[in-house]
Amino acid sequence: ATAAVEVGALAPLVALLSHKSSTELQFEAAWALTNIASTDYTRQVVQAGAVPPLVELLSSASADVREQGAWCLGNIAGDCPELRNLVLDAKALDPILANIQQPASLSLLRNTVWTLSNLCRGKPPVHLEVAKKVVPLLASIVRQCSDEDTLIDACWAFSYITDGENERIDILLEHRDVIVGLVKHLGSRSATLVAPALRTLGNVVTGNDGQTQAVLDAGILPQLLTLLQHPKKSLRKETCWLISNIAAGDRKQISMLLAEPRLIPEVLQHLSWGQWEVREEAAWAISNLCMSKNHVQKVVEMGAIRPLCELLTASDPNLVIVVLNAIESILQVSEEQGLDYDERLEDADGLDKLEELQGHKNEEIYLKAVGILERYFPGEEDVGED
């Protein structure tokens, strides 16, 4: 690619894209530009004026030329949001969608769906109008397509579209059966398909309670235990993240989580013994559950106190604050209902760790620890203080 750019090949290659008398020349020029656009020279390809003629190629009579044009545009759009918007502004979306609706070959379908996913990718996210145009077609792919590569890219496109405000999630929820399809894909043997399906569903449950309920109604909970035991760490982490967002839902949703056999005990296993990134997300999940006063007892009986106390020595102050809030909620319920959670906390070395936090450099942590000690362990505060 460096040699091609340095000898000034970009301008003649771009000129050949408009050589309508020879689809072979158009194809070879698009092929060369695709390779250059996949390197650090993407911007130079754009500056050479390649985007408008590449968009023209999407309507070529030759399927091979259309495919190569789409591939090159996908490389450009995938480089950064600025170039993604430039490709969209060049009116590439409609001809891409047309090629997906009537693909001349499986290869063309795969390439155009991959390009479409790149046209949805990046932040700031694409305009809502783009999302509204794209989702119905992606929905039909998830319903009807059996090709795994195409499904993977369609699911990644959904994950990019739903990563944002609730309005974006609603666009997907107009196609409820797609949520059921995504839940089904969580059971796939292919981790590369599970990942974008899980990310999309995780995005949906970051929304409001109604949006979260749509995912629960689609039957996601029985799939989650297997995912918590998945050999891939990234999938275990994302599953804990998804559970933590359901755990921040309404009372009925939390009850559903706790009623799912072996699910929360498995999250607690990750909280105790998991790799750090997974453990962190598990901490959010258990802490969110503990913020629901109606469910604290059940979570404590499952064994939440000791692993939460162990995280009081974590280096991430945000995580320590989350755990302190959970412990405060547990102790509040214990006091209100005359339970012995303060003693259990002391048995789990929680009291010692709380006392140590009085010397923490983070003021919020220090104040929160002091507040808990004064309220629930009077007379136990650090005697070394003036």
Side-chain angles (χ1 to χ4, degrees):
T2 306
V5 174
E6 283 176 355
V7 299
L10 285 179
L13 284 171
V14 169
L16 287 172
L17 295 176
S18 304
H19 212 285
K20 292 191 170 103
S21 58
S22 171
T23 53
E24 203 173 323
L25 273 176
Q26 287 179 309
F27 174 81
E28 294 297 341
W31 178 277
L33 288 166
T34 301
N35 288 329
I36 297 168
S38 69
T39 67
D40 293 337
Y41 292 103
T42 317
R43 203 169 280 276
Q44 283 87 331
V45 172
V46 173
Q47 286 162 349
V51 171
L54 284 167
V55 173
E56 288 286 314
L57 293 189
L58 297 173
S59 306
S60 167
S62 161
D64 287 344
V65 169
R66 296 201 300 277
E67 182 176 344
Q68 204 56 53
W71 192 348
C72 191
L73 288 166
N75 277 342
I76 293 167
D79 185 73
C80 64
E82 182 198 342
L83 295 187
R84 172 202 74 191
N85 291 343
L86 190 139
V87 173
L88 286 168
D89 290 344
K91 310 250 183 309
L93 186 60
D94 285 347
I96 289 285
L97 296 178
N99 276 291
I100 292 171
Q101 279 166 322
Q102 293 185 309
S105 65
L106 178 58
S107 176
L108 179 60
L109 177 67
R110 284 175 174 171
N111 261 309
T112 46
V113 173
W114 172 77
T115 296
L116 183 60
S117 81
N118 275 353
L119 287 171
C120 298
R121 185 179 174 187
K123 288 192 169 183
V126 289
H127 292 307
L128 280 172
E129 293 68 40
V130 173
K132 285 173 182 168
K133 212 172 209 180
V134 163
V135 164
L137 188 54
L138 290 170
S140 67
I141 290 169
V142 171
R143 283 186 202 108
Q144 297 158 14
C145 185
S146 56
D147 177 61
E148 192 175 287
D149 288 351
T150 306
L151 279 171
I152 288 166
D153 286 321
C155 288
W156 277 120
F158 277 142
S159 79
Y160 305 141
I161 287 166
T162 52
D163 184 8
E165 63 268 26
N166 293 354
E167 211 177 342
R168 294 176 181 277
I169 295 169
D170 278 334
I171 297 170
L172 176 57
L173 289 182
E174 285 171 24
H175 306 269
R176 290 290 172 112
D177 59 323
V178 173
I179 300 293
V180 176
L182 291 170
V183 167
K184 191 184 80 189
H185 291 317
L186 295 181
S188 168
R189 287 183 186 167
S190 163
T192 48
L193 176 55
V194 173
L198 182 61
R199 176 72 60 82
T200 303
L201 293 164
N203 287 342
V204 176
V205 299
T206 64
N208 59 41
D209 290 346
Q211 292 167 332
T212 299
Q213 194 60 44
V215 175
L216 290 168
D217 292 343
I220 194 172
L221 292 180
Q223 300 271 20
L224 297 180
L225 182 63
T226 312
L227 288 173
L228 285 173
Q229 298 162 343
H230 201 283
K232 274 187 85 80
K233 178 179 75 176
S234 59
L235 294 182
R236 298 195 302 275
K237 177 190 170 187
E238 293 249 340
T239 304
C240 285
W241 166 67
L242 184 146
I243 290 169
S244 76
N245 282 305
I246 299 173
D250 63 29
R251 191 188 294 193
K252 176 187 162 196
Q253 291 165 351
I254 296 168
S255 296
M256 286 175 77
L257 257 188
L258 288 165
E260 187 59 34
R262 293 170 43 220
L263 184 61
I264 299 307
E266 188 69 27
V267 176
L268 284 163
Q269 284 292 314
H270 286 298
L271 183 59
S272 300
W273 315 109
Q275 288 169 283
W276 179 249
E277 296 97 317
V278 184
R279 209 174 156 200
E280 216 170 351
E281 292 298 342
W284 278 96
I286 299 303
S287 298
N288 283 349
L289 286 174
C290 290
M291 298 314 289
S292 171
K293 298 280 194 298
N294 301 295
H295 299 93
V296 163
Q297 221 170 324
K298 197 157 189 183
V299 184
V300 169
E301 294 313 322
M302 287 178 178
I305 287 179
R306 184 171 292 278
L308 282 172
C309 288
E310 281 167 10
L311 278 177
L312 288 172
T313 55
S315 58
D316 177 1
N318 292 326
L319 190 61
V320 175
I321 290 163
V322 166
V323 172
L324 283 169
N325 286 332
I327 286 172
E328 187 173 37
S329 180
I330 288 170
L331 290 169
Q332 203 173 338
V333 169
S334 179
E335 186 182 71
E336 287 165 4
Q337 298 183 17
L339 303 167
D340 65 345
Y341 297 165
D342 51 342
E343 290 168 28
R344 293 199 206 182
L345 188 108
E346 199 167 347
D347 290 344
D349 299 326
L351 183 55
D352 292 344
K353 291 186 171 77
L354 282 168
E355 287 176 345
E356 282 165 27
L357 290 177
Q358 292 179 111
H360 202 284
K361 60 181 182 287
N362 180 297
E363 192 184 7
E364 193 179 347
I365 290 174
Y366 146 72
L367 289 172
K368 177 70 80 176
V370 168
I372 291 171
L373 286 166
E374 286 177 351
R375 169 83 191 270
Y376 301 104
F377 301 95
E380 296 279 358
E381 294 98 300
D382 192 344
V383 291
E385 287 203 335
D386 292 333

